[in-house]
Amino acid sequence: MSSRFDNKVVVVTGAAQGIGEAYARALAAEGASVVVADLNEGAGVGVVEAIEADGGTAMFVRTDVSSHESATALVEAVTAAYGGIDGLVNNAAIYGDMQFDLLISVDWDYYRKFMSVNMDGALVMTRAVYPSMQARGGGSIVNQSSTAAYLYSGFYGLAKVGVNGLTQQLAHEVGGMEIRVNAIAPGPTDTAATRTQAGDAAKDLVKGLALKRMGQPEDMVGACLFLLSDEASWVTGQIIAVDGGQTFRS
């Protein structure tokens, strides 16, 4: 029985834990050769080992998404191992240990580092990967946004507004190469990083949702697999909210 991603190679950044790990495991289960791209080597290798134990195919590449050199090295390593790249999930972000501050007072060096990962990282990775996708006849990119883009969320929300803009602009730039670019905007999701950031306040977030529970990483998987697959062959430039009804846009 064939799977949706047989013979496909998909890179997932920030895949050592949380939602990124859920994406990586699900893609491998559907036949993809998965690249776990993360700075956390110990956890990333652990995800690869778990995928292989379940019969899947995966490799770890230590990657700093804010670095053009690191992104280029990833493409070279993946091409050597698997022949090329068909899909990219730009999930990596500074989040679990994110500082809280105002835009008008946040330390400027921290702000620039934060944005270099949380916003620019998606562009850095796309610039490195798209030639490989083009050479293979096309591909799909999924950026990780957040409902924070539509709410007051300081520089975190600002980065996600940027991700949404990147998604729409890049969709037009690479559409002629048969590369699609979309984004997923998760609502409050029960990950270790969210528990660190929100603590007991997460319970209050749930009260404002149409569906009265926190999201789980697995809740994001269906949208990600759909957007990466041929089933979404005429879907690009879209930001899909998977948020339990937290946001409404007309």
Side-chain angles (χ1 to χ4, degrees), residues 2-239:
S2 63
S3 297
R4 278 189 287 184
F5 298 100
D6 283 348
N7 303 314
K8 299 294 186 181
V9 179
V10 184
V11 175
V12 184
T13 70
Q17 59 188 349
I19 297 173
E21 178 181 353
Y23 289 157
R25 286 173 175 260
L27 282 160
E30 292 221 20
S33 296
V34 176
V35 181
V36 176
D38 207 294
L39 284 172
N40 188 333
E41 185 166 356
V45 170
V47 172
V48 169
E49 290 174 346
I51 288 172
E52 291 176 338
D54 288 335
T57 301
M59 65 183 290
F60 174 79
V61 181
R62 190 178 188 278
T63 309
D64 176 359
V65 300
S66 69
S67 164
H68 292 280
E69 294 77 13
S70 184
T72 298
L74 174 139
V75 173
E76 292 172 351
V78 175
T79 301
Y82 296 142
I85 298 170
D86 303 287
L88 168 65
V89 182
N90 284 311
N91 170 74
I94 296 171
Y95 177 53
D97 57 355
M98 176 177 61
Q99 296 179 15
F100 283 103
D101 208 334
L102 302 174
L103 280 164
I104 56 175
S105 58
V106 62
D107 177 81
W108 192 251
D109 289 340
Y110 179 78
Y111 169 81
R112 290 308 313 157
K113 173 61 178 175
F114 183 90
M115 297 300 277
S116 76
V117 174
N118 287 40
M119 184 178 74
D120 296 340
L123 179 56
V124 169
M125 291 300 300
T126 298
R127 284 166 61 118
V129 166
Y130 86 85
S132 180
M133 290 185 178
Q134 184 182 20
R136 286 163 78 87
S140 178
I141 298 170
V142 176
N143 296 325
Q144 193 80 324
S145 181
S146 170
T147 54
Y150 313 120
L151 307 167
Y152 169 59
S153 307
F155 48 85
Y156 181 75
L158 178 61
K160 295 305 185 181
V161 170
V163 167
N164 290 353
L166 274 172
T167 299
Q168 294 166 332
Q169 301 302 318
L170 286 169
H172 283 270
E173 291 194 8
V174 300
M177 306 172 196
E178 298 299 324
I179 299 171
R180 298 178 296 102
V181 188
N182 294 286
I184 296 170
T189 305
D190 185 22
T191 63
T194 296
R195 289 191 289 272
T196 298
Q197 286 293 342
D200 291 338
K203 298 175 183 177
D204 294 327
L205 291 174
V206 169
K207 295 176 183 177
L209 305 181
L211 300 176
K212 306 300 182 184
R213 67 171 178 85
M214 289 281 282
Q216 299 296 318
E218 292 71 24
D219 289 320
M220 312 303 149
V221 165
C224 184
L225 297 186
F226 167 70
L227 291 172
L228 288 170
S229 76
D230 291 340
E231 296 165 27
S233 62
W234 212 49
V235 179
T236 197
Q238 303 305 305
I239 295 92

